């Protein structure tokens, strides 16, 4: 019996996406890292612009699902659930399930340094794929894709629901400590997709550090790091 030809990583990904592209060029660009571009090509041929759009589409779909599924949740609880659903680690986990890492178009040097398994890159390209589906099939197609992959996680998640900054402040107050102080210690990335690093200082404790696409998200991440280190949160 003859062997069946092995499917390419992109073919495997297309099946996993459960979406039929009308314009496959959108998917190709969504999967392309700048390191794979020829010298004559511009950065617009890589995933970066699509990632910017996909991040917003994902946010809208997740926010809409949360609003529908948790009618009694206050803003703080919704924000906490939202942050968990759109955070880099969640997107990277979904990217791995889909096989995005194997299907990415990346340069040799990037591949040799583990680019196909980098959490940040997997998360970014996952969002760029969302944008490609949105541009190719419209909002309904993107919503269906996000719902299928994110909704089960949304409904099964049982992590802490309080806002990290609020929780850390209340915890500090319970120990008669001053209000935690937040300081921006770094900024990286292009203007359209910045990454901030924030350190939070609680008197008598080692500072906690967090990163995010905005100062607010980085502050929450830093507060969460301290809460987990101190055993207040045990997700």
């Amino acid at each position: 019996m003859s062997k069946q030809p092995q499917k390419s990583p992109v073919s495997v990904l297309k099946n996993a996406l459960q979406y039929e592209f009308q314009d496959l060029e959108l998917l190709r660009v969504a999967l392309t890292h700048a390191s794979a571009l020829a010298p004559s090509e511009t950065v617009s041929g890589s995933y970066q612009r699509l990632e910017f759009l996909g991040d917003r589409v994902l946010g809208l779909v997740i926010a809409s699902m949360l609003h529908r599924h948790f009618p009694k949740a206050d803003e703080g609880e919704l924000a906490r659930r939202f942050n968990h659903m759109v955070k880099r680690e969640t997107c990277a986990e979904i990217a791995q399930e889909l096989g995005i890492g194997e299907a990415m178009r990346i340069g040799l040097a990037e591949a040799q340094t583990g680019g196909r398994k980098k959490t940040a890159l997997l998360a970014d390209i996952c969002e760029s794929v969302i944008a490609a589906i949105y541009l190719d099939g419209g909002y309904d197609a993107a919503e269906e894709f996000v719902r299928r992959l994110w909704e089960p996680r949304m409904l099964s998640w049982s992590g802490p629901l309080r806002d990290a900054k609020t929780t850390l402040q209340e915890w500090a107050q319970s120990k008669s400590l001053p209000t935690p102080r937040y300081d921006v210690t770094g900024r990286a990335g292009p203007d359209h997709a910045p990454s901030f690093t924030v350190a939070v200082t609680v008197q008598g404790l080692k500072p906690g550090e967090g990163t995010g696409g905005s100062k607010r998200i980085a502050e929450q991440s830093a507060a969460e790091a301290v809460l987990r280190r101190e055993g207040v949160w045990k997700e």
Side-chain angles (χ1 to χ4, degrees), residues 1 22 39 55 65 67 72 81 87 92 97 115 118 126-127 136 144 157 170 182 190 207 212 227-228 233:
M1 192 161 111
Q22 301 301 309
D55 176 67
M65 288 198 300
H67 187 267
K72 296 182 180 179
R81 291 182 181 276
K87 70 179 182 179
E97 290 179 8
K118 290 180 179 177
C126 183
E127 291 179 338
D136 190 74
E144 169 59 24
W157 186 64
E170 291 176 350
Y182 295 85
L227 291 169
R228 295 194 186 287
W233 278 3

Side-chain angles (χ1 to χ4, degrees), residues 13-20 98 133 144-145 148-149:
L13 173 62
K14 286 166 63 179
N15 289 336
L17 294 178
Q18 296 183 26
Y19 174 77
E20 191 70 32
L98 293 170
I133 292 173
E144 169 59 24
F145 174 74
R148 178 170 62 84
L149 292 163

Side-chain angles (χ1 to χ4, degrees), residues 3 6-7 24 33 37 50 54 57 72 79 94 98 103-104 113 135 138 146 148 170 172 185 187 190 192 217 221 225:
K3 286 185 178 181
Q6 191 172 15
K7 289 186 177 181
L24 277 173
H33 187 265
L37 297 176
L50 287 176
V57 175
K72 296 182 180 179
I94 289 171
L98 293 170
M104 287 192 299
T113 57
L135 292 174
V146 172
R148 178 170 62 84
E170 291 176 350
T185 57
R187 186 188 189 283
H192 75 271
I217 294 174
S221 178

Side-chain angles (χ1 to χ4, degrees), residues 3-4 30 36 41 55 62 64-66 75 111 113-114 116 120 126 131 147 155 163 179 183 197 204 216:
K3 286 185 178 181
Q4 292 293 325
E41 295 180 282
D55 176 67
I62 295 296
S64 297
M65 288 198 300
L66 286 168
E75 182 183 6
T113 57
R116 297 189 186 279
C126 183
R147 186 198 60 75
L155 297 178
D163 172 83
T179 299
D183 299 294
T197 301
R216 180 183 61 79

Side-chain angles (χ1 to χ4, degrees), residues 166-221:
T166 301
T167 302
L168 182 60
Q169 182 170 330
E170 291 176 350
W171 180 77
Q173 288 175 343
S174 73
K175 295 185 174 298
S176 301
L177 298 173
T179 299
R181 189 183 79 246
Y182 295 85
D183 299 294
V184 177
T185 57
R187 186 188 189 283
D191 289 341
H192 75 271
S195 176
F196 294 91
T197 301
V198 168
V200 58
T201 303
V202 180
Q203 183 178 298
L205 299 178
K206 179 182 176 182
E209 193 170 82
T211 60
S214 70
K215 293 178 183 178
R216 180 183 61 79
I217 294 174
E219 288 173 352
Q220 293 286 352
S221 178

Side-chain angles (χ1 to χ4, degrees), residues 10 31 43 45 55 59 65 67 74 77 80-81 84 102 112 116-117 119 124 130 134 137 139 143 150 222-223 227-228:
V10 173
L31 295 172
V43 72
D55 176 67
M65 288 198 300
H67 187 267
D74 61 18
E77 178 181 335
R80 175 70 186 146
R81 291 182 181 276
H84 179 74
E102 291 75 16
Q112 290 176 335
R116 297 189 186 279
K117 295 183 179 180
T119 298
D124 286 350
I130 292 171
Y134 168 74
Y139 180 80
E143 181 183 37
W150 271 263
L227 291 169
R228 295 194 186 287

